[in-house]
């Protein structure tokens, strides 16, 4: 494990108990990844065969890593400026990427009597494969990033140095079953052409082992017994008949079976069922542990090991029936689970970094989420290993809006399928099913996104899934579509994708909208303005001026889609609700409030409605969890892993035991997402005018809320006289010992946001009149005392404890106080895990919060905490 990944694992283990000891299968025996390549444009190569011959003169070619797109490789070699800043990427000429590019590497073969294979996948979007001057596969065969190819190159290699070359053809997502960026971001100039996954070199004797996996059957709901059935494909690649013995262990239990194979014959070996009493069951985070089991197999011929396989699996059961309202309800190990997640984005240039992926998954857990949805861009094996170990559920599937749905999406982008596409689609499904089937974190697979496949496409997918012993749910679409055999998806994709006010999320009356009912597969209020630290890293001063002065102007860092090209809808709402921004700082701080309240309401509404008897909310995928680059929309945290109002709004909403304000009923509710009943609770609601005057106070004592996502109304607030147009609501929940377990502050208005439902479009519902939150500008100044104490944490981390106190003598609260870990230069220390943040304190109140981060990310400086609030000014404190 590289040094940085060790540090990442240490941080993640510190944040997530139990991760450090989680089982990991490790690398497969007898295989190694090609560690890197030299790349060059095919326009500079006159003889294809010569590229793959040992000794080829590659002077002037560019070195890249084991998995790299062309543009990412050239960027790493200093050819271009930072694509995440300003419009640098827009200025890259695309002509160089209209022709194929070569990827060349040398490999060593120590024993030519063994068989040698190239395990190829992740090609965007197709490639000719050459070995020592011989083309061993064409672009018609190696086609698509998800297809997997086991190329036997034994006859082409010899002892010593051998050369391998891939002629990678340009990627075109509208014509290829590949990957594209839809409307998430600007598309890289090379459209991600290249090798996005590692190519493995395998060695074995005459018999090869492939596809080893375990079919698990868990006794639900008792969970007291599991049946484990191990299977593996055994293939004789020699010219003579052989008799092999396949033996090993399944979860520590021995298995063995003899198999006779004719020359070039393949058989599937199925071992006898192994029964396990009191099995170690895998659970999503927050519901239990994440124990992983191991499958080890070896094929021997004549007493000599020919090939071996090592993999891991988890014991768990997933069901996803439709409920009485037609919504998709996931059930894990017999327990209904509300899916709370976000749409996952890889790096824009598909640069794989296991440490960074672990950081992002740690954020998922810190946010109180349990799932990530991968619409296309399905990450490498290491991603799912991390998800298994961390207990984060995953929902992979094919993407919308290009060739994947070109046959069924009418006039939208994506060309209709040709006969050549059907076998590629089925091969893609086969490879992904075989790759993902043993990962307990994989919850389901979406064979459609915006549209469901037709009968022929669906059959290809389902046949492939069945042949692979697919153990999880299969969903026809992420939208409210149906496929011929699977039927209705049980999901909706009604938007919105642009700004709507917080009360929107509580609507259940409009069945073509995105309120808190059914399974909401992708939705949010769209724009997400990063912190000032990130904005200054991604935009020029002139661009920042335009950002706040003219939200209607096109924004390169929003989307290549005309629909999402600017921030006008968001800008109008910001000015209409909070008052017209007076500066960049004012725009950014108002944006943080708007994002916090909106994201919080989105998650709170869906969580509250999970156990409703009619039209419950069974799942919510926030669109999106993160962005693949420096973006102004669709993200709960930004490209640099900084955290803003959206992040902490989501974190607050997803507290395990949570008190919240319901915009529709104007009441205080308590939602218990833990596994146990909470008793002896006390809830208090207080309302304050902006001058600090208390206008309402009400308490409910000694009540209970069941676990598993149940909710209970704690207090009705009703009509309160004498409130200012903008007012504050403080909700506090304490446990039976009087300890505060949830604290939630809202900024509200006596004037509600009014939605114009009749003018709804697919991506938003207009607001006809705005709530008045401009009174926040009248909050008086408040003083905050801040202290910070840092101490070494486990495995190379530092834990900084911050105490914040409102030391004001009057009645004014310190509103939305944010703490940021920074180094001596004032640069944010990222990633970081906060216990809480962006808090509001009334005079005399204190709160203690903690930050955990890698000590190395301080770069040798002492830790400092930058404290800034809406009405407190900014200060920096050190230990």
């Amino acid at each position: 494990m590289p040094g940085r990944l060790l540090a990442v694992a240490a941080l993640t283990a510190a944040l997530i108990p139990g991760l450090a000891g989680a089982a990991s299968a490790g690398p497969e025996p007898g295989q190694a990844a090609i560690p890197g390549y030299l790349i060059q444009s095919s326009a500079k190569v006159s003889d294809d065969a010569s590229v793959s011959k040992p000794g080829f003169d590659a002077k002037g070619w560019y070195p890249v890593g084991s998995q790299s797109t062309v543009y990412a490789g050239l960027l790493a070699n200093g050819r271009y400026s930072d694509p995440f800043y300003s419009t640098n990427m827009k200025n890259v000429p695309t002509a160089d990427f209209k022709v194929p590019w070569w990827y060349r590497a040398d490999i060593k073969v120590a024993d030519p009597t063994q068989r040698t294979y190239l395990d190829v996948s992740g090609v965007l979007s197709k490639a000719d494969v050459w070995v020592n001057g011989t083309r061993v596969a064409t672009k018609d065969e190696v086609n698509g990033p998800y297809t997997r190819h086991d190329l036997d190159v034994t006859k082409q290699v010899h002892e010593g140095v051998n050369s391998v070359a891939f002629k990678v053809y340009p990627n075109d997502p509208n014509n290829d079953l590949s990957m594209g960026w839809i409307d998430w971001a600007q598309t890289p100039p090379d459209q991600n052409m290249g090798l996005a996954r590692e190519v493995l070199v395998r060695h074995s004797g005459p018999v090869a082992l492939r596809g080893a996996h375990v079919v698990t059957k868990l006794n639900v709901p008792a969970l007291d017994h599991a049946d484990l059935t191990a299977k593996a494909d055994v293939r004789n690649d020699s010219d003579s008949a052989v008799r092999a013995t396949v033996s090993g262990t399944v979860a520590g239990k021995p298995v063995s079976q003899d198999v006779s194979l004719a020359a070039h014959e393949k058989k599937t070996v199925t071992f006898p069922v192994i029964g396990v009493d009191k099995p170690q069951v895998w659970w999503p985070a927050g519901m239990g542990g994440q124990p992983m089991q191991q499958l080890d197999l070896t094929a021997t011929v004549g007493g000599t090991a020919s090939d071996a396989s090592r993999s891991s699996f988890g014991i768990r059961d997933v069901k996803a029936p439709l409920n009485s309202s037609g919504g998709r309800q996931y059930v894990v190990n017999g327990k209904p689970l509300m899916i709370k997640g976000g749409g996952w984005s890889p790096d824009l240039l598909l640069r794989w970094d296991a440490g960074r992926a672990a950081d992002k998954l740690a954020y998922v857990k810190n946010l109180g989420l349990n799932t990530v949805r991968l619409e296309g861009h399905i990450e490498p094996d290491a991603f799912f290993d991390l998800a298994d170990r961390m207990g984060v559920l995953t929902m992979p599937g094919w993407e919308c809006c290009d060739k994947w749905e070109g046959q069924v999406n009418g006039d939208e982008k994506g060309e209709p399928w040709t006969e050549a596409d059907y076998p590629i689609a089925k091969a893609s499904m086969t490879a992904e099913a075989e790759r993902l089937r043993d990962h307990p974190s994989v919850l389901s697979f979406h064979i459609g996104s915006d549209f469901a496949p037709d009968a022929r496409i669906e059959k290809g997918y389902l046949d492939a899934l069945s042949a692979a012993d697919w153990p999880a749910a299969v969903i026809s679409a992420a939208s409210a579509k149906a496929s011929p055999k699977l039927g209705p998806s049980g999901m909706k994709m009604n938007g919105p994708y642009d700004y709507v006010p917080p009360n929107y999320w509580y609507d259940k009356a409009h069945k073509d909208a995105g309120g808190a009912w059914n399974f909401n597969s992708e939705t949010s209020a769209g724009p997400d303005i990063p912190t000032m630290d990130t904005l200054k890293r991604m935009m020029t001063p002139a661009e920042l001026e335009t950002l706040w002065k003219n939200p209607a102007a096109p924004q390169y860092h929003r989307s290549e889609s005309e629909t999402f090209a600017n921030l006008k809808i968001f800008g109008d709402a910001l000015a209409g609700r909070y008052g017209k921004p007076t500066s960049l700082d004012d725009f950014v701080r108002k944006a943080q409030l708007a994002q916090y309240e909106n994201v919080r309401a989105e998650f709170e509404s869906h969580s509250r409605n999970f156990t409703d008897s009619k039209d419950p909310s069974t799942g919510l995928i926030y669109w999106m969890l993160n962005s693949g680059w420096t973006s102004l929309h669709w993200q709960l945290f930004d490209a640099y892993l900084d955290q803003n109002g959206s992040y902490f709004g989501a974190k607050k909403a997803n507290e395990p035991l949570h008190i919240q304000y319901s915009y529709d009923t104007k009441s205080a509710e308590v939602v218990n997402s833990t596994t146990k009943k909470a008793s002896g609770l006390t809830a208090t609601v207080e309302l304050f005018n902006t001058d600090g005057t208390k206008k309402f106070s009400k308490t409910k004592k000694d009540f209970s809320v069941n676990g598993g996502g149940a909710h209970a109304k704690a207090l009705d607030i009703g009509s309160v006289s004498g409130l200012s147009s903008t007012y504050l609501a403080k909700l506090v929940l304490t446990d039976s010992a009087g300890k505060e377990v949830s604290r939630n502050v809202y900024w509200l208005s006596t004037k509600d946001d009014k939605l114009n439902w009749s003018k709804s479009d697919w991506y938003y519902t207009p607001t006809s009149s705005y709530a008045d939150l401009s009174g926040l500008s009248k909050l008086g100044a408040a003083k905050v005392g801040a202290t910070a104490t840092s101490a070494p944490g486990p495995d190379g981390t530092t834990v900084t404890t911050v105490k914040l106190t409102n030391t004001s003598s009057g009645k004014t609260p310190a509103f939305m106080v944010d703490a940021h870990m920074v180094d001596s230069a004032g640069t944010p220390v990222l990633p970081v895990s906060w216990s809480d943040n962006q808090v509001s304190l009334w005079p005399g109140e204190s709160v203690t919060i903690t930050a955990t981060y890698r000590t190395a990310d301080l770069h040798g400086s002492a830790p400092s905490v930058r404290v800034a609030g809406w009405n407190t000014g900014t200060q920096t404190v050190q230990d």
Side-chain angles (χ1 to χ4, degrees), residues 213-217 227-231 273 313 438 468-471:
H213 64 287
V214 178
V215 178
T216 64
K217 185 178 181 182
D227 287 333
L228 311 179
T229 304
K231 296 184 178 183
V273 174
F313 65 97
D438 269 355
D469 294 324
W470 182 252

Side-chain angles (χ1 to χ4, degrees), residues 615-671:
D615 288 338
S617 171
T618 56
L620 168 64
I621 300 296
Y622 184 88
W623 204 250
M624 298 177 68
L625 174 74
N626 67 300
S627 179
W629 78 320
T630 43
S631 178
L632 295 170
H633 76 167
W634 295 348
Q635 57 190 354
L636 291 176
F637 52 87
D638 65 39
Y640 302 113
L641 304 184
D642 206 354
Q643 304 156 332
N644 64 355
S646 296
Y647 186 99
F648 291 111
K651 180 175 172 61
K652 176 59 65 176
N654 292 312
E655 292 174 323
L657 185 59
H658 177 67
I659 188 168
Q660 66 186 58
Y661 173 79
S662 294
Y663 284 81
D664 55 344
T665 60
K666 292 182 170 52
S667 63
E669 301 256 358
V670 175
V671 178

Side-chain angles (χ1 to χ4, degrees), residues 14 84 93 107 156 167 177 182 282 323 370 459 525 553 623 680 864:
F84 283 21
I107 61 174
Q156 285 76 40
K167 187 178 184 180
L177 291 170
I182 318 170
W282 187 96
N323 62 24
N370 55 29
K459 185 178 187 303
W623 204 250
S864 300

Side-chain angles (χ1 to χ4, degrees), residues 9 13 24 68 85 118 125 151 288 298 310 342 404 412 471 586 602 632 634 657 695 701 710 714 736 753 763 790:
S24 178
S68 175
Y85 182 72
L118 294 179
S125 83
L151 305 177
T298 299
R310 177 188 299 129
W404 283 101
E412 294 192 14
D586 192 43
E602 181 175 349
L632 295 170
W634 295 348
L657 185 59
K695 303 299 294 184
K701 297 182 178 181
S736 57
D753 291 292
Y763 61 98
S790 299

Side-chain angles (χ1 to χ4, degrees), residues 338 607-611 671-675 705-711:
M338 181 180 173
S607 293
R608 188 200 69 177
N609 292 355
F610 173 53
T611 54
V671 178
N672 183 7
S673 298
T674 73
T675 57
V705 186
N706 290 328
H711 70 93

Side-chain angles (χ1 to χ4, degrees), residues 330-342:
Y330 283 88
V331 181
V332 179
N333 300 332
K335 293 187 178 297
L337 175 66
M338 181 180 173
I339 298 302
K340 294 188 285 188

Side-chain angles (χ1 to χ4, degrees), residues 533 820-829 858 861-866 876:
D533 296 294
H820 248 73
M821 292 303 309
V822 295
D823 62 18
S824 57
T827 302
V829 177
L858 287 167
S861 69
S864 300
V865 183
R866 186 179 66 210
T876 300

